[in-house]
Amino acid sequence: MTINYSQPCGADGNWQAPQHFVFPSPVLADWLQYPGSLTARLREHCQQFSIKVLYEGFSEIAPHEQLALACAGPYWVREVLLCCDGVNWVFARSIIPQSSLEGDAAAVSQLADKPLGELLFTGQGQRQSIELCQIAAASSIYQYADSSQPLWGRRSRFLLANAPLLVAEIFLPDCAAYRGDPGVAAS
């Protein structure tokens, strides 16, 4: 598997409100619509949680992302893999307008291998909206999946210290979202 560190993948698909979907399973629906921190939920499902940074820097974004973010660029883009016990479970893409990289929200550009979720689910973070999507089959996100099964994701617009940002989380095939009980794995 070749990982492209010089170009972001994007998160293309037909993003829509949750009520427009019929989900293939109640477990997947639960994961996609989960209101809390995905980072915290993933940590409950594994012994060791880790992050692999794939891309971080200023980049162009897709028109559907500009529309969802509703804020002018340039844009700081961060793409990571969220891993449980060394296995890729989630591809995450964060988009932050340069104007949001100032003041109290500036820490989002200095996360390194720390999860964004820890910043968003503090007293300063607020989810404004959520959209869901089945990722386009031609998406380069599939390079991180060990199969060609359909991938599902969610995208949220947040305010962090009153600064807007967009976060897409795509569940990869090994994620618990595609199997069994949505609850916490036994330790």
Side-chain angles (χ1 to χ4, degrees):
M1 168 173 68
T2 303
I3 297 175
N4 184 351
Y5 290 99
S6 61
Q7 292 279 55
C9 285
D12 293 333
N14 185 16
W15 294 94
Q16 298 181 43
Q19 62 267 26
H20 294 164
F21 288 95
V22 175
F23 301 101
S25 78
V27 173
L28 179 60
D30 179 71
W31 277 82
L32 288 167
Q33 298 177 93
Y34 182 69
S37 166
L38 181 60
T39 299
R41 190 170 196 190
L42 291 173
R43 283 188 164 137
E44 293 173 350
H45 278 77
C46 63
Q47 299 299 312
Q48 178 156 10
F49 174 81
S50 61
I51 292 178
K52 296 178 194 171
V53 178
L54 303 172
Y55 179 87
E56 193 164 15
F58 285 100
S59 180
E60 298 293 319
I61 65 173
H64 66 88
E65 293 171 320
Q66 290 175 344
L67 186 62
L69 192 52
C71 193
Y75 304 97
W76 181 264
V77 176
R78 180 176 191 249
E79 293 183 347
V80 300
L81 293 173
L82 306 179
C83 306
C84 285
D85 297 323
V87 178
N88 302 337
W89 273 31
V90 176
F91 169 89
R93 174 177 169 88
S94 305
I95 302 170
I96 304 105
Q98 185 174 16
S99 60
S100 294
L101 295 175
E102 302 162 2
D104 292 338
V108 297
S109 67
Q110 302 159 358
L111 290 170
D113 63 353
K114 293 181 176 59
L116 177 59
E118 290 178 354
L119 283 177
L120 294 176
F121 288 90
T122 64
Q124 295 186 47
Q126 175 188 9
R127 178 179 277 136
Q128 291 188 305
S129 64
I130 189 165
E131 297 175 299
L132 307 178
C133 167
Q134 188 172 357
I135 297 303
S139 171
S140 59
I141 292 171
Y142 279 90
Q143 69 183 303
Y144 305 110
D146 292 334
S147 77
S148 59
Q149 82 173 52
L151 299 179
W152 287 81
R154 65 188 198 166
R155 178 171 78 179
S156 302
R157 186 179 194 276
F158 285 93
L159 286 181
L160 178 62
N162 294 318
L165 58 126
L166 193 65
V167 178
E169 299 156 324
I170 314 307
F171 298 106
L172 298 174
D174 288 320
C175 183
Y178 297 112
R179 63 179 191 272
D181 179 18
V184 177
S187 299

